[in-house]
Amino acid sequence: MHHPHHHLPKRIILVRHGESQGNLDTAAYTTTPDNKIQLTSSGLAQARQAGNHLYNILSNDENKNWRVYFYVSPYDRTRSTLREIGRSFKKERIIGVREECRVREQDFGNFQVKERMKVIKESRERFGRFFYRFPEGESAADLVCTEDCFLQNAKSTNIVGFLESLWRDIDMKRVHRDPSHDLNLIIVSHGLTCRVFLMKWFKWTVEQFEHLNNPGNCEFRIMQLGAGGEYSLAIHHTDEEMLEWGLSPEMIDDQKWRMRANKGDWNEKCPWYLDEFFDHVADSDRESDDKENGSSGMCD
């Protein structure tokens, strides 16, 4: 029996690249462009292990007709991570792979002077990680949506644009041609990019983003399709895991609501917009009138 939302991917899985030379020693950035930084031998092993783990998760599905479609950042370390992950999958399981510039790493500037970067990153902690823009580089906010006047129609170039084209690919069945297959989209990217993707998808605030921790090398976040057509992190991941990632109890409750929510529903118990701005506002016109008349609003 098909899922009522069988045209949607069963999972969208965000994977951070394996350990890189830059993770091991930031001096690597002083001589090597960021996009050319290589994986360490440990990073290659992490990626092979991640591939095994992902394969085991997917092959445990009730529907044995599962398939995968990969998106990968164009950086050497993400491409190498995908190559190692790919060893776990037979070609018949892979629908396709696309290199996707919009899930690349944040631009920290060109060759990076070690001592200067140390000072810059300390400034970022004081300024705030979301809006801080690296000299000659980008901020996390730029990754969400960069308007580039040189691009036709000034289309958004980063995460927002990627999400739009991702949904277009899904709607037009470019990545999912056979409804009997369970499709899994796997995005091999970078820590910050994964956090920004989740922020935009789940409509988290900047303040909530600031509390998120970076995924470890080759860690993944699995967004799984719930019964009503919404995606949730809570189907595959535990409360403890999500707390470790920096999600608040309210954000975790929202993920649990999404497990059963109908697509397009609004979570009225999701407090971080209404309560943030309108917690001082009366619940109803009558309550406001009662306050103006000096009444408590309770029956006499």
Side-chain angles (χ1 to χ4, degrees):
M1 186 176 137
H2 293 323
H3 194 288
H5 301 279
H6 59 77
H7 66 290
L8 297 174
K10 179 166 184 178
R11 299 179 187 86
I12 300 172
I13 303 174
L14 304 169
V15 186
R16 186 187 172 199
H17 60 79
E19 181 190 74
S20 72
Q21 299 288 354
N23 297 143
L24 208 56
D25 182 0
T26 53
Y29 295 107
T30 64
T31 55
T32 309
D34 193 0
N35 65 298
K36 295 292 184 190
I37 295 283
Q38 301 298 312
L39 291 184
T40 63
S41 56
S42 174
L44 291 165
Q46 287 170 341
R48 282 193 292 275
Q49 193 176 356
N52 287 333
H53 192 177
L54 286 166
Y55 176 82
N56 290 336
I57 289 168
L58 305 188
S59 58
N60 279 334
D61 276 354
E62 223 175 282
N63 182 356
K64 297 304 176 188
N65 275 331
W66 56 269
R67 296 289 186 273
V68 289
Y69 190 102
F70 292 99
Y71 292 91
V72 62
S73 154
Y75 283 37
D76 284 1
R77 59 187 178 273
T78 39
R79 289 166 54 91
S80 296
T81 299
L82 175 55
R83 198 170 290 116
E84 297 307 310
I85 285 174
R87 294 177 191 277
S88 294
F89 295 90
K90 299 282 190 295
K91 281 189 179 171
E92 66 176 8
R93 295 287 186 185
I94 301 168
I95 294 175
V97 59
R98 184 182 305 173
E99 188 175 274
E100 178 51 77
C101 277
R102 291 170 295 186
V103 296
R104 61 172 171 74
E105 176 63 291
Q106 177 183 5
D107 184 352
F108 298 109
N110 296 319
F111 292 114
Q112 298 166 24
V113 180
K114 194 173 182 181
E115 287 309 309
R116 182 174 179 243
M117 283 305 285
K118 186 167 177 265
V119 172
I120 284 170
K121 286 186 175 177
E122 285 166 2
S123 299
R124 177 177 62 169
E125 290 308 308
R126 292 200 307 277
F127 191 91
R129 291 185 301 165
F130 187 73
F131 289 114
Y132 183 84
R133 179 174 285 118
F134 282 80
E136 301 97 43
E138 293 175 308
S139 67
D142 292 329
L143 271 188
V144 173
C145 181
T146 303
E147 295 299 333
D148 186 341
C149 60
F150 295 107
L151 290 175
Q152 187 183 12
N153 301 327
K155 289 177 85 171
S156 53
T157 58
N158 289 342
I159 296 297
V160 170
F162 173 61
L163 284 172
E164 286 171 359
S165 56
L166 184 67
W167 277 112
R168 214 162 35 243
D169 285 349
I170 291 166
D171 286 342
M172 297 180 76
K173 298 183 173 55
R174 288 175 184 149
V175 294
H176 198 182
R177 296 187 184 94
D178 187 338
S180 70
H181 293 162
D182 273 346
L183 174 64
N184 299 275
L185 297 183
I186 300 179
I187 302 168
V188 183
S189 183
H190 306 265
L192 177 72
T193 315
C194 292
R195 283 181 283 148
V196 169
F197 183 99
L198 292 170
M199 176 197 186
K200 285 308 297 175
W201 189 285
F202 294 121
K203 300 179 176 62
W204 293 339
T205 66
V206 170
E207 187 178 353
Q208 287 168 326
F209 172 88
E210 296 278 2
H211 287 99
L212 296 177
N213 298 313
N214 224 20
N217 292 118
C218 277
E219 268 190 18
F220 38 83
R221 309 285 187 253
I222 297 180
M223 300 160 52
Q224 191 159 325
L225 189 63
E230 281 285 346
Y231 286 88
S232 170
L233 294 163
I235 296 172
H236 182 83
H237 298 289
T238 64
D239 289 18
E240 290 72 25
E241 280 180 287
M242 291 186 281
L243 282 168
E244 279 174 20
W245 302 345
L247 274 71
S248 67
E250 293 83 7
M251 293 162 79
I252 293 171
D253 286 345
D254 179 58
Q255 292 299 318
K256 289 179 174 173
W257 173 82
R258 289 170 180 273
M259 291 166 70
R260 290 169 292 279
N262 290 320
K263 190 166 171 54
D265 281 357
W266 175 255
N267 186 359
E268 291 170 7
K269 293 178 182 169
C270 161
W272 52 80
Y273 286 114
L274 285 174
D275 289 1
E276 176 73 21
F277 298 105
F278 303 110
D279 60 334
H280 58 292
V281 176
D283 286 339
S284 67
D285 288 343
R286 175 169 175 182
E287 190 183 325
S288 302
D289 293 342
D290 288 340
K291 279 182 182 167
E292 282 173 22
N293 297 331
S295 162
S296 68
M298 294 177 69
C299 296
D300 293 329

